[in-house]
């Protein structure tokens, strides 16, 4: 008789997989991908090391999934800001601020997503994540050009420049050696670092100082 997996077994597998993912996410949020050792993840998840490899072909596959999960949360937040009220320039400014402030509030995870050296498979996810941001910004820039609040320009190129500028400007403050700087964000749009980043990005986009 052929082996048939019961519903209870499928549920137990799904629960184990979720614990593995949740514990890996926790490890990365606390110490980056470098600290997410398979033995530590297994211990936190309450599973054998081999169980992890029954759910993921390799550590890189597990990390790639964590990267997708974490970045999608951030992309969704930026999309939310871009869908809010106001003209396109105002919405872009809001989205850029959302990006920077969230990064500085969770510096370790942000560093891991933006700049931590990672395996090639995870680096592929990083490129896809940057592209997702660029696509959102490009759409908003095109809308701004149509509205007249953003000067005519190559929206695709400008969106790529925005992603590069804001990510690169956060690398230093998010570095594990500079974490004290990364925890100083305020709730009232008065953080000097965030304001300077937003000012630079919006001035480059609109040609005027905001």
């Amino acid at each position: 008789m052929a082996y048939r997996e019961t519903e209870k077994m499928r549920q137990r597998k799904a629960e184990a997989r979720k614990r593995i993912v949740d514990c890996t996410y926790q490890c990365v949020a606390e110490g980056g991908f470098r600290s997410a050792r398979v033995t530590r993840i297994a211990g936190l998840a309450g599973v054998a090391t081999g169980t992890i490899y029954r759910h993921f072909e390799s550590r890189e596959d597990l990390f790639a999934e964590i990267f997708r999960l974490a970045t999608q949360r951030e992309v969704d937040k930026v999309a939310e800001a871009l869908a809010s009220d106001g003209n396109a320039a105002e919405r872009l400014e809001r989205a850029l601020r959302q990006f920077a402030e969230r990064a500085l509030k969770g510096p370790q995870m942000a560093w891991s997503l933006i700049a931590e050296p990672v395996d090639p498979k995870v680096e592929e996810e990083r490129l896809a994540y940057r592209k997702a941001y660029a696509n959102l910004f490009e759409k908003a820039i095109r809308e701004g050009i149509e509205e007249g609040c953003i000067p005519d320009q190559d929206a695709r190129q400008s969106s790529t420049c925005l992603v590069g500028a804001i990510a690169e400007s956060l690398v230093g403050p998010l570095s594990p050696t500079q974490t004290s700087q990364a925890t100083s964000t305020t709730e009232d749009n008065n953080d000097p670092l965030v304001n300077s980043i937003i000012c630079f990005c919006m001035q480059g986009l609109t040609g005027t100082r905001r």
Side-chain angles (χ1 to χ4, degrees), residues 54-70:
R54 284 201 288 273
H55 290 280
F56 300 92
E57 289 187 6
S58 66
R59 187 186 70 159
E60 290 71 27
D61 285 311
L62 171 58
F63 285 179
E65 173 140 344
I66 298 307
F67 200 99
R68 283 192 295 270
L69 175 65

Side-chain angles (χ1 to χ4, degrees), residues 92 96 130-131 133-142 145 150-166 200-201 204-205:
L92 275 162
L96 291 166
R130 291 171 73 97
K131 180 64 176 172
Y133 278 121
N135 288 341
L136 288 172
F137 292 152
E138 180 182 349
K139 181 175 182 291
I141 292 168
R142 292 189 188 282
I145 293 170
I150 294 176
D152 189 27
Q153 58 194 278
D154 184 332
R156 179 167 297 177
Q157 187 61 45
S158 294
S159 66
T160 302
C161 290
L162 276 183
V163 174
I166 194 166
F200 176 84
C201 289
L205 188 63

Side-chain angles (χ1 to χ4, degrees), residues 114-207:
I114 292 172
E116 183 180 358
V118 290
D119 295 305
K121 188 168 286 190
V122 182
E123 185 61 36
E124 288 178 15
E125 297 297 333
R126 179 174 284 157
L127 293 175
Y129 146 76
R130 291 171 73 97
K131 180 64 176 172
Y133 278 121
N135 288 341
L136 288 172
F137 292 152
E138 180 182 349
K139 181 175 182 291
I141 292 168
R142 292 189 188 282
E143 291 170 354
I145 293 170
E146 290 179 6
E147 293 169 3
C149 61
I150 294 176
D152 189 27
Q153 58 194 278
D154 184 332
R156 179 167 297 177
Q157 187 61 45
S158 294
S159 66
T160 302
C161 290
L162 276 183
V163 174
I166 194 166
E168 187 63 28
S169 65
L170 288 168
V171 168
L174 292 174
S175 170
T177 62
Q178 300 293 327
T179 52
S180 61
Q181 293 182 33
T183 56
S184 62
T185 4
T186 60
E187 298 289 341
D188 57 0
N189 293 349
N190 284 328
D191 183 82
L193 174 61
V194 173
N195 286 342
S196 66
I197 293 171
I198 302 309
C199 179
F200 176 84
C201 289
M202 295 307 297
Q203 190 167 351
L205 188 63
T206 65

Side-chain angles (χ1 to χ4, degrees), residues 3-13:
Y3 169 78
R4 297 185 64 182
E5 190 175 66
T6 66
E7 179 60 33
K8 186 174 182 180
M9 291 175 70
R10 283 194 292 271
Q11 184 177 345
R12 286 175 61 187
K13 278 187 175 181

Side-chain angles (χ1 to χ4, degrees), residues 75-110:
V75 169
D76 289 346
K77 287 294 182 181
V78 167
E80 202 175 280
L82 287 171
S84 60
D85 295 333
N87 64 40
E90 292 168 342
R91 290 184 284 113
L92 275 162
E93 181 173 346
R94 204 172 297 134
L96 291 166
R97 186 174 295 279
Q98 173 92 287
F99 182 108
E101 288 181 344
R102 284 180 62 82
L104 293 171
K105 286 173 186 173
Q108 179 59 70
M109 179 59 84

Side-chain angles (χ1 to χ4, degrees), residues 7-84:
E7 179 60 33
K8 186 174 182 180
M9 291 175 70
R10 283 194 292 271
Q11 184 177 345
R12 286 175 61 187
K13 278 187 175 181
E15 289 171 352
R17 189 182 193 283
K18 184 178 185 305
R19 288 200 307 275
I20 291 166
V21 169
D22 289 346
C23 291
T24 307
Y25 190 101
Q26 176 188 336
C27 287
V28 175
E30 291 175 353
F33 287 103
R34 68 187 180 281
S35 75
R37 298 184 304 277
V38 171
T39 52
R40 183 184 178 211
I41 294 164
L44 289 171
V47 301
T49 301
T51 301
I52 292 178
Y53 293 109
R54 284 201 288 273
H55 290 280
F56 300 92
E57 289 187 6
S58 66
R59 187 186 70 159
E60 290 71 27
D61 285 311
L62 171 58
F63 285 179
E65 173 140 344
I66 298 307
F67 200 99
R68 283 192 295 270
L69 175 65
T71 52
Q72 191 57 55
R73 290 177 181 176
E74 300 309 312
V75 169
D76 289 346
K77 287 294 182 181
V78 167
E80 202 175 280
L82 287 171
S84 60

